[in-house]
């Protein structure tokens, strides 16, 4: 496996973002700063500014001042900023990979994929401003022309998580900017360099005018201040369902637009006629990629009873072949989980399942003096529907296997979860899987594939607790989500009304 971060050429001098926020330009924050920690070793590898309520208030004022000028910027100039940012992203790949590996615990190939997907997002968003932004509707009045056009919202707050910090920030930041909005990005403090500071510098060097994008790493105080601020027109949030519900409540009360992409407890369904080698490959990739810390993780493996033992054995073999370790210093398949609290929660769910009757086929926490935050890829068999391993989003490298007997039972088990983000179905009868897909309450279904799929031009999102309000990211959905419509009617002459 190639690990690009091992050979990264990173300057030893303090970067411009050290202990700062970007608002506008690099400056010390009112909220102070915190250490940037490497989860694989526990070492401090930098410092990042922390925004508080005062920083947010100032940033919103700056964004409001920049709104009109950026919205009036010709579409080709906005597109050119996107293209320059995409070019710079590729040129700075080594730097982005370095921080994604060290700060976020990503393995090299994951960091590479994330950067390439982000590059595609930028290229797509460079084309957004030149898309049709309006329509003409007929009128009942002779001579009237009805234009309906898309206009920017104003200031968009983007609140992002730590697991895919670059991609999940850019999928909102780039289309929001492309459509003429100003943006305040609040990355999670556990990934504030990869998903915040480097993005700020990227757009500044790409020629984005001052104040159009600000980056305020922070915790709940900064997030709440952004969501509650009356001059923030829209909130784009990716994170937990609990926080998403709160944001949705606040935005609903304030009549503010929001996009919510929340948790997931996704099903990989293996029917009795499946190619078990392909299914086990999808199961391993979907469950263990990036230590399972993905909203689309294959968190429930529903397997027909007739093939359950064979599938479990193949998945166990794949899990045992994976190497766990420090992705910055070795070639590994799985790095560390993000923090101690998450490590303990993963193990609690696994141990609860075993005590309740599940069988631990392989995996569990790494033991020994260098155990740290590492957790081995884990396969659980005989997982019952009452167990936490079935009901909860684990967000760790765990593959719980639950047996079903009939197609109807598999569909009912899938739909039993309040989450409805993604599903995978393995069968040698694709038409059968398409019929099953129509009965699943999930936003995305992948047939003879795994659950962790993303294509920049296809609308992405879930149903139920995975979304909350039916919002989508990507492709034509971006035109709808990051603008609002305005009706303009035109008459050649004024109308004389009865009074």
């Amino acid at each position: 496996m190639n690990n690009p971060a091992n050979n990264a050429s990173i300057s030893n001098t303090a970067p411009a973002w050290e202990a700062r926020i970007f608002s506008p330009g690099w400056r010390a924050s009112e909220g102070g700063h915190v250490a940037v920690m490497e989860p694989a070793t526990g070492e401090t590898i930098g410092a990042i500014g922390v925004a508080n309520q005062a920083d947010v208030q100032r940033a919103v004022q700056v964004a409001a001042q920049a709104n009109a000028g950026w919205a009036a910027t010709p579409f080709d100039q906005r597109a050119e900023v996107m293209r320059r940012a995409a070019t710079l992203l590729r040129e700075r790949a080594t730097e982005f990979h370095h921080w994604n590996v060290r700060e976020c615990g990503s393995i090299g190939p994951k960091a590479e994929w994330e950067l390439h997907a982000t590059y595609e997002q930028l290229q797509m968003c460079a084309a957004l401003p030149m898309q049709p932004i309006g329509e003409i509707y007929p009128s009942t009045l002779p001579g009237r022309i009805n234009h309906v056009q898309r206009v920017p919202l104003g200031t968009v707050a983007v609140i992002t998580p730590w697991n895919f910090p670059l991609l999940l920030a850019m999928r909102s930041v780039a289309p929001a900017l492309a459509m003429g909005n100003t943006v305040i990005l609040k990355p999670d403090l556990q990934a504030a360099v990869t998903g915040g500071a480097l993005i700020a510098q990227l757009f500044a060097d790409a020629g984005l005018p001052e104040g159009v994008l600000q980056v305020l790493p922070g915790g709940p105080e900064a997030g709440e201040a952004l969501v509650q601020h009356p001059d923030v027109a829209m909130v784009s949030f990716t994170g937990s369902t609990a926080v998403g519900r709160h944001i949705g409540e606040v935005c609903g009360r304030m009549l503010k637009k929001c996009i919510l992409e929340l948790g997931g407890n996704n099903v990989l369904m293996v029917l009795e006629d499946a190619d078990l080698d392909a299914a086990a490959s999808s199961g391993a990739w979907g469950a263990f990629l990036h230590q399972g810390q993905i909203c689309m993780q294959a968190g429930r493996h529903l397997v027909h009873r007739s093939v359950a033992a064979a599938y479990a054995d193949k998945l166990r073999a794949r899990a045992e072949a994976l190497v766990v370790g420090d992705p910055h210093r070795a070639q590994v398949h799985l790095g560390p989980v993000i923090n101690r609290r998450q490590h303990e929660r993963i193990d609690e769910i696994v141990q609860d399942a075993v005590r309740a009757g599940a069988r631990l086929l392989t995996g569990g926490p790494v033991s020994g003096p260098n155990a740290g935050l590492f957790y081995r890829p884990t396969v659980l068999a005989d997982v019952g529907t009452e167990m936490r391993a079935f009901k909860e989003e684990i967000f760790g490298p765990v593959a719980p296997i639950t047996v079903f007997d009939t197609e109807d039972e598999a569909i009912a088990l899938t739909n039993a979860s309040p989450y409805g983000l993604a599903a995978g179905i393995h069968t040698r009868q694709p038409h059968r899987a398409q019929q099953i897909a129509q009965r699943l309450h999930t936003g995305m279904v992948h047939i003879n594939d795994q659950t962790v799929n993303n294509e920049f031009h296809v609308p992405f999102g879930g149903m139920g607790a995975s979304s909350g309000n039916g919002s989508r990211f990507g492709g034509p959905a971006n035109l709808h989500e990051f603008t609002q419509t305005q009706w303009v009617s035109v008459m050649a002459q004024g109308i004389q009304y009865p009074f």
Side-chain angles (χ1 to χ4, degrees):
M1 276 185 309
N2 177 37
N3 187 346
N6 284 344
N7 300 314
S9 176
I10 304 298
S11 172
N12 290 324
T13 60
W17 49 260
E18 183 75 18
R20 289 175 168 82
I21 61 175
F22 189 80
S23 183
W26 297 112
R27 69 174 189 86
S29 61
E30 297 290 336
H33 63 271
V34 296
V36 177
M37 306 298 295
E38 182 177 38
T41 63
E43 294 178 6
T44 297
I45 54 175
I48 195 74
V50 180
N52 64 11
Q53 188 172 5
D55 293 307
V56 169
Q57 180 66 36
R58 181 178 184 276
V60 174
Q61 292 175 351
V62 170
Q65 294 169 0
N67 269 328
W70 180 241
T73 300
F75 78 90
D76 58 332
Q77 294 179 29
R78 282 185 270 129
E80 180 60 21
V81 171
M82 297 296 120
R83 286 191 290 267
R84 284 199 296 264
T87 298
L88 288 173
L89 180 67
R90 277 193 164 174
E91 292 176 358
R92 298 175 183 180
T94 297
E95 182 182 20
F96 276 92
H97 293 334
H98 172 87
W99 285 102
N100 204 336
V101 169
R102 296 203 68 188
E103 180 187 33
C104 309
S106 302
I107 63 171
K110 180 265 188 185
E112 289 180 321
W113 179 89
E114 186 173 357
L115 185 133
H116 178 70
T118 304
Y119 172 83
E120 289 180 326
Q121 289 278 351
L122 283 164
Q123 292 287 16
M124 176 193 66
C125 290
L128 274 182
M130 64 186 72
Q131 300 302 310
I133 59 169
E135 298 170 317
I136 298 176
Y137 287 80
S139 175
T140 58
L141 292 180
R144 170 183 277 178
I145 300 175
N146 290 319
H147 297 275
V148 174
Q149 59 189 13
R150 295 194 175 277
V151 297
L153 292 153
T155 298
V156 175
V158 178
I159 303 174
T160 55
W162 47 261
N163 56 337
F164 278 73
L166 175 59
L167 177 60
L168 297 184
M170 200 66 80
R171 74 173 180 181
S172 289
V173 168
L177 292 175
M179 298 313 297
N181 302 284
T182 55
V183 174
I184 300 174
L185 169 63
K186 191 203 80 66
D188 190 286
L189 286 171
Q190 297 171 108
V193 178
T194 310
L198 300 185
I199 293 173
Q201 194 62 57
L202 185 80
F203 276 107
D205 294 342
L208 191 68
E210 188 173 88
V212 174
L213 171 66
Q214 298 172 80
V215 177
L216 278 62
E221 180 184 353
E224 186 71 13
L226 279 170
V227 173
Q228 295 275 4
H229 202 292
D231 293 332
V232 171
M234 172 184 170
V235 177
S236 172
F237 173 77
T238 303
S240 73
T241 298
V243 176
R245 289 186 191 278
H246 171 70
I247 291 174
E249 290 171 0
V250 173
C251 289
R253 188 167 58 250
M254 298 181 71
L255 303 179
K256 180 183 300 189
K257 192 171 186 178
C258 67
I259 303 179
L260 303 173
E261 202 258 288
L262 311 175
N265 192 3
N266 311 289
V267 158
L268 184 74
M269 187 185 300
V270 182
L271 302 181
E272 68 275 12
D273 65 343
D275 177 339
L276 294 185
D277 288 321
S281 177
S282 286
W285 185 263
F288 306 139
L289 176 64
H290 195 41
Q291 300 76 263
Q293 299 171 126
I294 307 173
C295 60
M296 297 174 286
Q297 178 204 19
R300 292 180 292 159
H301 297 234
L302 302 184
V303 187
H304 192 274
R305 188 178 301 277
S306 65
V307 296
Y311 174 81
D313 189 58
K314 289 178 181 291
L315 186 58
R316 175 196 56 76
R318 287 179 179 273
E320 291 177 347
L322 300 178
V323 177
V324 181
D326 182 346
H328 180 60
R329 296 166 178 85
Q331 294 185 352
V332 300
H333 299 96
L334 278 75
V337 298
I338 192 65
N339 57 43
R340 176 58 56 187
R341 182 180 59 185
Q342 180 63 10
H343 186 278
E344 291 174 352
R345 180 179 177 275
I346 293 166
D347 197 47
E348 285 174 3
I349 292 175
V350 170
Q351 299 308 322
D352 284 351
V354 172
R355 284 191 292 268
R359 290 185 293 124
L360 179 63
L361 301 185
T362 189
V366 172
S367 58
N370 298 318
L373 297 178
F374 301 106
Y375 206 93
R376 291 180 293 161
T378 299
V379 180
L380 291 170
D382 301 333
V383 173
T385 58
E386 75 288 351
M387 298 179 187
R388 292 178 65 194
F390 180 86
K391 295 189 295 185
E392 296 184 18
E393 180 182 28
I394 300 175
F395 230 63
V398 181
I401 300 174
T402 300
V403 171
F404 67 87
D405 291 298
T406 68
E407 184 178 294
D408 286 344
E409 182 185 3
I411 293 168
L413 288 172
T414 301
N415 293 339
S417 172
Y419 298 107
L421 185 55
I425 305 173
H426 275 261
T427 174
R428 297 182 191 273
Q429 304 175 67
H431 179 67
R432 177 188 179 191
Q434 288 178 302
Q435 292 178 323
I436 292 173
Q438 293 177 1
R439 299 173 62 189
L440 300 182
H441 301 158
T442 57
M444 300 173 287
V445 181
H446 306 293
I447 296 170
N448 289 323
D449 201 352
Q450 42 79 41
T451 54
V452 185
N453 273 297
N454 180 80
E455 293 198 47
F456 64 93
H457 60 293
V458 181
F460 175 104
M463 299 179 184
S466 289
S467 171
N469 61 355
S471 48
R472 293 293 184 267
F473 296 93
N478 286 336
L479 287 169
H480 169 74
E481 299 289 3
F482 294 100
T483 61
Q484 55 190 334
T485 58
Q486 181 185 54
W487 174 24
V488 178
S489 69
V490 180
M491 295 288 290
Q493 297 180 4
I495 301 174
Q496 295 292 327
Y497 285 97
F499 58 86

